[in-house]
Each structure stands twice: as structure tokens, then as C-alpha cells.
Amino acid sequence: MSSEIIEQLYVEDEEMADSNLQFNLIHYLVALLRFVYRAEGWFISGNLKILPRSGPRYTFANVAPDIAFFKGVVLSEDDQNNLTSWDMKQPNRPAPAVVFEICSEATWTTDVLPLMKPDFYRQLGVKEYFTFDPQGFWTNETRRLRGWRYPATDGAVELVADEQGRLWSDEMESWLVPDGVNLWLFDHHDNRRLSEAETERQAREVERQALVELRQKLRDKGYDPDNF
């Protein structure tokens, strides 16, 4: 990787100012992944600096993916809170299985150019890399979602979306589905994966609808539901 590319990546991570849209999407996806994989307890981070296991550290200076999914890694809440970086030279510090980058005005070019972040994360040891453009910075692209998978051999395989524009993640066992400025996850059965907040809202709506139906049944039987 050339010194110019390294410098550009470094400057982006130092100076990038997230849009509110980007900020909200990152936090939604982190919360969603933590809730979906709560039983496994896998570690999901946002903007955590990652230091490589080998090679010159400056090559990966200040790499802090928007979202990193550490499949198989379980950390206590205290350990997570005390992390200031993820040093892969330490024991039990693998590369993240999946990385997400949500495009911003500062990063949209390096997020997708072949010799930049797609190759950058391959060198780090990531298994899958996804990038999403919620604001339409990819002016020559009709897709807002792109992804790469890194096989055991060297190289990167760009994933091909299905007819609905979805990409499948082997690591997360989920479909990634772009929807305007939103990015959803769906399971094998095409059920949208919900965050904890969405699950609670859905439960409240089911309860509200059940109450509405009960009140209507009482009215149909000639009862006043307010005095029942």
C-alpha cells in the first residue's frame, strides 16, 4: 500500500466529521447486532482503533471501522468499557470477522476503490467487508450497498447482489437489505431482524391492537368497555 494511500486513510479517520444520518445509522446497526447476537455475547464495536498482528503499524495507522463484528469473541462489560484500541498482537485478539463502513463525504472514495479499504481490510484479516452509501455519494453507481468476501487464498471477491439488491453475509447468516437511507438485516426466512427497541415497540403495538379488538368485541356484545 502506497504512502499516499496510507496518508489519505489516516487523514480521513482523524478528520472525518460524521453526518447525523451516518451517525444514527452506525449506532442503530451496532445496537441491532448486539441485540441479535446477545445470546452468543459476541463483541461488536463502533469506531474502535485496530492495530494489526504483524507488519508495520503505520500501515494501519488509526484504523477505526465504523462497525466491527468480532464473531466468537466474548468480553465482559468491564473489559469492553476499558478498551481504548484492539491490539491484535495481544492474545485472543483476532481480526473482526465483518467490518462495515457507512460512507461519508470524506470517505466515500476510499471505501470502495479496490486498492484502498477493500484491500486494506483483506490485509488485516477481515472475512467480509460491507460498505453502504445512504446519501448517494457514489454518483456513478445505482447500488448503495457493496460487499467483499475474502477467501483463504489471497484476493478479494466482490459479492453480487440478488435481484432485490440484497447481499448475503455468511458470517452473520443474514441478508443485508438497502432501503433508501436505511440498511436492514433479514434472516434465512426473510424476517427482518429487530433491535431491542424495535422489539419492545412491536410488543407494545401487539398489546395495543389486542386491547382495541377486545374493546370492540365488548361493544359488539352491548357492553361499555369503559365500565367493564
Side-chain angles (χ1 to χ4, degrees):
M1 187 173 290
S2 73
S3 59
E4 289 82 2
I5 292 174
I6 294 168
E7 178 63 20
Q8 186 170 352
L9 290 171
Y10 178 86
V11 168
E12 282 180 358
D13 281 327
E14 280 290 294
E15 298 182 356
M16 182 185 68
D18 295 340
S19 68
N20 195 54
L21 176 62
Q22 185 194 24
F23 176 87
N24 289 339
L25 183 54
I26 290 169
H27 281 259
Y28 166 75
L29 289 171
V30 168
L32 172 66
L33 291 170
R34 286 176 176 170
F35 185 66
V36 168
Y37 298 101
R38 64 194 180 282
E40 293 85 352
W42 294 336
F43 177 44
I44 292 103
S45 73
N47 293 312
L48 178 67
K49 186 188 298 186
I50 299 178
L51 304 173
R53 180 176 294 110
S54 61
R57 285 176 180 265
Y58 72 85
T59 302
F60 293 92
N62 242 39
V63 181
D66 288 336
I67 303 165
F69 176 85
F70 293 87
K71 186 175 181 179
V73 175
V74 178
L75 299 177
S76 70
E77 185 174 350
D78 284 343
D79 285 341
Q80 292 187 41
N81 291 338
N82 290 330
L83 280 175
T84 57
S85 66
W86 186 262
D87 189 346
M88 291 172 55
K89 287 188 175 181
Q90 294 184 16
N92 303 315
R93 290 288 188 267
V98 184
V99 162
F100 288 84
E101 295 284 10
I102 308 302
C103 292
S104 69
E105 188 171 5
T107 69
W108 67 271
T109 53
T110 57
D111 285 342
V112 296
L113 291 177
L115 294 179
M116 301 195 80
K117 285 186 182 176
D119 186 62
F120 194 64
Y121 287 124
R122 177 190 64 79
Q123 293 183 54
L124 194 64
V126 169
K127 294 181 179 178
E128 293 178 342
Y129 166 48
F130 296 97
T131 184
F132 181 61
D133 175 15
Q135 294 176 276
F137 293 114
W138 302 344
T139 54
N140 295 322
E141 291 281 345
T142 56
R143 297 170 293 161
R144 289 195 168 190
L145 173 67
R146 294 177 69 176
W148 289 261
R149 184 170 295 128
Y150 305 106
T153 56
D154 287 343
V157 176
E158 183 164 4
L159 302 177
V160 178
D162 69 4
E163 64 278 0
Q164 300 176 55
R166 307 181 304 174
L167 294 179
W168 175 256
S169 167
D170 284 341
E171 296 298 318
M172 297 184 294
E173 296 185 346
S174 296
W175 288 104
L176 277 66
V177 182
D179 179 19
V181 298
N182 298 307
L183 182 62
W184 311 123
L185 268 66
F186 283 73
D187 65 16
H188 278 290
H189 305 291
D190 286 336
N191 298 309
R192 186 161 79 85
R193 297 189 183 278
L194 302 178
S195 67
E196 183 174 16
E198 289 172 321
T199 301
E200 291 173 352
R201 283 198 297 270
Q202 186 180 72
R204 289 196 298 270
E205 178 58 25
V206 169
E207 291 175 357
R208 188 195 67 80
Q209 187 59 39
L211 180 60
V212 169
E213 292 174 0
L214 176 61
R215 291 173 64 86
Q216 186 58 51
K217 287 179 181 178
L218 290 172
R219 291 191 186 95
D220 292 343
K221 293 179 180 294
Y223 298 105
D224 181 356
D226 293 327
N227 297 316
F228 190 77

